[in-house]
């Protein structure tokens, strides 16, 4: 029966495009030797937690950076290396990783910490999955640390998704409060710059921490990252210049390594679907277009209604106006009109400004400070990084906002009609 597999002509026995496609999967964790372009960041993270390997107390660290800049990858990489280095010095160092976008409450996070500690040791006590509170999970955590570890590195990824930051206090005070003698080093990761501002208000000085910023990759780093995975494809399938083009496009838009790799994969799929034997620059261009729409949809789907309305307002200014950039005030005026359309109370101009700033950090828009002349002072000009069409489409996906005018509808009031300052209420 086994002979039949591979013999059925319905299924190709050999993939003409991909050789090791898993190298391009979103969840794929590359080997150490495939991590490139982040030496300084690796050094910096190691400098903060590295004391653990010498039996000394580590620093806590917060890592900020846009999506796809290697924050999760580098954190796990450094933590694992620290664990190995500690072992060489006879120090038992645990590594714990929690994705707080899933474990988004203190109870869930502590439960996961306790369970993964138990898994790494021969701790005998039963840890209930439900019906107990945070305190009980902490008891297990302290108990296991006390019995089995000299130190532990706790990575709290997407930490901004946690509903409160008590865990940071608990972990940083544990030694002081004599819960455990083990050293605990926390690596917190967030791609929300706003979290940084609220963090200081939320935690007290016991969580002393350093901050690191990971910057988007430039074209040459992205090129290296992709070159290192070229063997995902069959030999000679990638035409000359395709990786360079992919890197250039991705660097221009966002500098996101994950997206760059996705474009490469999508281009391969496209080539296969169309029966092409090679992946061409044309495939990359098409794949980039698809990836861009997906990227905007992902970024906006998690945004608040007001962030979406702010983006929509800027997009509609661009579509119906004759400029690419708009001042905060102009976007705000349009936004207020749009709020009326969807029967939502507008936030303040300053609130809107903060929303725009957040979107600029995420890479959906770019904001630039401009001197407005001697009498006017300086002001911010906002532009969309992407095609306004994508924004309108993505925002209207929100079922509470699908009454907003479509892209085509907005185009009907474009500059050629002579009226830029369209009264948006007339659409309703
Ligand atoms: N320096 C690098 N070398 C090789 N591959 C990389 C590098 N940086 C990122 N990647 C690849 O890009 C993917 C995204 O990286 P990572 O998950 O670390 O980003 P992130 O900054 O945590 O993003 P997010 O904020 O969206 O969680 C990784 O799975 C990895 O495959
Ligand atoms: Mg991450």
């Amino acid at each position: 029966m086994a002979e039949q597999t591979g013999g059925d002509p319905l299924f190709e026995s050999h993939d003409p495009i991909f050789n090791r496609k898993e190298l391009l999967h979103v969840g794929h964790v590359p080997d150490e030797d495939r991590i490139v372009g982040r030496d300084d960041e690796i050094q910096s993270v190691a400098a903060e937690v590295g004391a653990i390997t010498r039996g000394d107390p580590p620093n806590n660290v917060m890592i900020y950076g846009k999506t796809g800049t290697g924050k999760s990858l580098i954190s796990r990489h450094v933590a694992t290396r620290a664990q190995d280095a500690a072992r060489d010095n006879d120090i038992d160092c645990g590594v714990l990783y929690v994705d707080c976008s899933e474990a988004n409450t203190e109870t869930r996070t502590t439960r996961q910490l306790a369970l993964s500690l138990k898994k790494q040791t021969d701790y005998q006590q039963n840890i209930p999955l439900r019906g107990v509170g945070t305190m009980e999970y902490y008891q297990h955590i302290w108990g296991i640390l006390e019995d089995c570890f000299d130190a532990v590195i706790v990575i709290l990824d997407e930490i901004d998704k946690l509903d409160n930051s008590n865990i940071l206090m608990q972990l940083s005070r544990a030694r002081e409060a004599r819960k455990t003698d083990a050293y605990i080093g926390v690596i917190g990761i967030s791609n929300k710059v706003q979290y940084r501002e609220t963090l200081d208000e939320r935690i007290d000085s016991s969580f002393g921490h350093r901050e690191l910023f990971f910057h988007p990759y430039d074209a040459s780093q992205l090129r290296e990252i992709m070159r290192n995975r070229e063997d995902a494809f069959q030999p000679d399938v990638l035409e000359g210049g395709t990786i360079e083009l992919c890197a250039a496009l991705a660097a221009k838009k966002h500098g996101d390594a994950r997206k760059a790799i996705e474009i490469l994969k999508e281009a391969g799929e496209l080539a296969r679907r169309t029966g092409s034997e090679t992946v061409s620059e044309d495939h990359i261009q098409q794949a980039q277009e698809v990836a861009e729409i997906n990227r905007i949809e992902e970024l906006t789907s998690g945004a608040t209604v007001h962030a979406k309305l702010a983006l929509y307002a800027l997009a509609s200014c661009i579509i119906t106006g004759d400029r690419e950039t708009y001042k905060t005030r102009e976007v705000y005026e349009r936004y207020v009109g749009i709020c009326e359309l969807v029967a939502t109370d507008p936030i303040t101009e300053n609130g809107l400004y903060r929303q725009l700033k957040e979107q600029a950090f995420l890479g959906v828009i770019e904001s630039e400070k401009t001197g407005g002349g001697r009498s006017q002072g300086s002001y911010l000009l906002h532009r969309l990084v992407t095609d306004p069409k994508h924004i309108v489409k993505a925002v209207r996906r929100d079922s509470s906002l699908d009454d907003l005018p479509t892209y085509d509808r907005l185009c009907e009031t474009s500059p050629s009609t002579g009226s830029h300052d369209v009264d948006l209420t007339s659409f309703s």
Side-chain angles (χ1 to χ4, degrees):
M1 274 200 346
E3 289 153 30
Q4 275 179 2
T5 17
D8 187 337
L10 183 60
F11 307 104
E12 281 172 319
S13 59
H14 169 84
D15 187 323
I17 298 288
F18 295 106
N19 175 33
R20 293 187 55 199
K21 196 173 170 188
E22 74 275 10
L23 294 176
L24 305 175
H25 279 179
V26 174
H28 175 75
V29 179
D31 299 338
E32 192 173 309
D33 57 355
R34 289 183 192 265
I35 299 181
V36 284
R38 276 297 182 241
D39 293 345
D40 291 348
E41 288 75 5
I42 291 176
Q43 292 282 349
S44 306
V45 179
E48 302 307 331
V49 297
I52 274 185
T53 65
R54 301 181 292 274
D56 292 329
N59 291 328
N60 296 320
V61 56
M62 280 295 308
I63 300 178
Y64 297 100
K66 288 185 190 178
T67 177
T69 52
K71 301 181 299 295
S72 304
L73 176 66
I74 300 304
S75 304
R76 299 180 89 141
H77 170 71
V78 173
T80 313
R81 278 176 71 175
Q83 183 175 39
D84 293 344
R87 191 178 302 127
D88 292 342
N89 294 337
D90 279 336
I91 293 167
D92 255 323
C93 175
V95 173
L96 300 173
Y97 176 91
V98 182
D99 179 354
C100 302
S101 64
E102 279 165 21
N104 59 352
T105 64
E106 192 180 3
T107 313
R108 288 187 188 143
T109 304
T110 48
R111 176 171 57 216
Q112 197 176 320
L113 289 177
L115 290 171
S116 55
L117 278 169
K118 182 174 155 119
K119 223 189 222 165
Q120 298 180 25
T121 58
D122 49 14
Y123 188 65
Q124 296 299 329
Q125 282 192 48
N126 177 43
I127 300 179
L129 289 181
R130 59 197 83 243
V132 298
T134 309
M135 283 334 283
E136 184 162 341
Y137 291 126
Y138 277 120
Q139 294 312 327
H140 289 292
I141 294 173
W142 309 142
I144 303 175
L145 286 181
E146 195 52 34
D147 290 350
C148 312
F149 289 98
D150 302 309
V152 63
I153 298 176
V154 182
I155 302 173
L156 298 176
D157 206 347
E158 316 251 349
I159 191 171
D160 49 278
K161 303 276 163 43
L162 263 184
D163 62 353
N164 74 62
S165 39
N166 188 38
I167 188 162
L168 296 180
M169 254 91 77
Q170 294 288 343
L171 293 175
S172 50
R173 284 195 199 135
R175 258 178 73 91
E176 200 183 305
R178 302 190 161 266
K179 312 267 197 212
T180 170
D181 277 335
Y183 286 126
I184 303 175
V186 177
I187 302 178
I189 303 175
S190 172
N191 54 22
K192 297 247 177 336
V193 75
Q194 275 178 349
Y195 182 71
R196 182 172 173 237
E197 292 162 17
T198 63
L199 186 66
D200 290 337
E201 297 157 18
R202 292 203 217 176
I203 58 173
D204 68 10
S205 57
S206 62
F207 185 71
H209 65 285
R210 304 285 166 84
E211 288 178 338
L212 297 177
F213 292 85
F214 281 24
H215 298 289
Y217 290 108
D218 63 25
S220 76
Q221 291 168 321
L222 290 172
R223 211 160 44 221
E224 252 193 287
I225 290 173
M226 285 186 275
R227 280 249 170 276
N228 257 14
R229 299 187 194 202
E230 233 173 332
D231 48 339
F233 291 88
Q234 298 289 1
D236 301 326
V237 160
L238 283 180
E239 285 181 17
T242 42
I243 284 192
E244 285 72 13
L245 176 65
C246 190
L249 291 172
K252 190 162 150 235
K253 289 280 184 194
H254 42 66
D256 175 337
R258 187 184 294 117
K259 286 284 174 257
I261 295 167
E262 266 173 47
I263 295 173
L264 205 56
K265 181 170 151 209
E266 180 62 32
E269 302 276 14
L270 222 81
R272 186 165 55 185
R273 271 203 300 277
T274 54
S276 167
E277 284 172 5
T278 56
V279 177
S280 67
E281 294 193 1
D282 207 36
H283 292 130
I284 298 277
Q285 292 279 13
Q286 288 179 47
Q288 138 79 23
E289 180 77 8
V290 174
E292 185 58 12
I293 298 175
N294 290 345
R295 183 176 83 92
I296 297 301
E297 275 183 13
E298 274 167 35
L299 286 175
T300 50
S301 65
T304 64
V305 164
H306 292 287
K308 288 180 187 169
L309 291 173
L311 287 174
Y312 186 92
L314 177 56
S316 90
C317 284
I318 293 169
I319 297 165
T320 62
D322 54 4
R323 278 179 283 138
E324 288 296 312
T325 61
Y326 286 86
K327 295 186 210 176
T328 311
R329 167 56 56 89
E330 294 172 309
V331 181
Y332 186 67
E333 281 166 4
R334 181 62 62 93
Y335 157 84
V336 171
I338 290 168
C339 280
E340 231 169 88
L341 271 187
V342 289
T344 301
D345 287 335
I347 53 174
T348 62
E349 185 170 332
N350 191 39
L352 184 93
Y353 165 76
R354 291 171 65 90
Q355 297 285 356
L356 290 171
K357 228 168 75 175
E358 178 72 21
Q359 293 304 314
F361 183 76
L362 288 173
V364 183
I365 70 175
E366 265 171 8
S367 306
E368 183 190 11
K369 210 174 204 140
T370 314
R374 211 174 295 163
S375 56
Q376 290 165 295
S378 66
Y379 52 83
L380 275 187
L381 278 177
H382 310 281
R383 81 167 72 240
L384 284 178
V385 174
T386 193
D387 191 329
K389 191 163 48 175
H390 301 338
I391 297 285
V392 170
K393 199 168 153 213
V395 171
R396 290 184 75 259
R397 290 223 151 186
D398 184 325
S399 59
S400 68
L401 303 177
D402 60 2
D403 282 344
L404 286 170
T406 59
Y407 174 73
D408 291 340
R409 196 97 166 78
L410 287 168
C411 284
E412 287 165 17
T413 50
S414 72
S416 50
T417 66
S419 61
H420 316 153
D421 269 324
V422 194
D423 176 11
L424 271 161
T425 47
S426 66
F427 287 121
S428 53

